[in-house]
Structures are given as C-alpha cells and as structure tokens.
Amino acid sequence: MKIFCCKTHVEHALDVFVAKTESYPILTELPDEEKLSTKCEYCEEPAMYLVANA
Ligand SMILES: [Zn+2]
C-alpha cells in the first residue's frame, strides 16, 4: 500500500495506513521532481511524502 500526501495530511495518512494494513508505515520525503508531479491523496496540494510498507 502506498499513500502520497502533503504536509497537512501526513498524520491522517499514517492513521489510515495503520488502520488498513495493521503494520507500521515508513514515511519518506519525495524527491523534488516527484513532489511537482504527484498530488496529495486527500487534497489538491502537491504531495510531499510517501507513506508505504517497509
Ligand atoms: Zn493534503
């Protein structure tokens, strides 16, 4: 499972991840070029972080 999210929605994304997968998420900051081309899952802001499995 992968969730792209902005700064505002990081905590929400982590909560959703844990609730859905029941495992601990890894939070990584996206490289600059991916930030520009990827949108937050929960709003229209550019994504800054990726929440994913280890
Ligand atoms: Zn957002």
Side-chain angles (χ1 to χ4, degrees):
M1 182 178 185
K2 283 182 178 179
I3 304 173
F4 292 98
C5 57
C6 70
K7 218 174 187 176
T8 313
H9 288 107
V10 165
E11 286 186 29
H12 180 67
L14 292 172
D15 285 349
V16 169
F17 188 95
V18 171
K20 284 194 178 171
T21 67
E22 295 180 345
S23 63
Y24 197 77
I26 304 293
L27 181 65
T28 43
E29 196 176 339
L30 293 174
D32 284 343
E33 64 270 22
E34 281 191 51
K35 283 178 191 167
L36 295 174
S37 62
T38 312
K39 266 189 186 170
C40 172
E41 200 117 320
Y42 307 106
C43 71
E44 295 296 304
E45 295 292 311
M48 281 201 67
Y49 299 100
L50 171 63
V51 179
N53 300 82

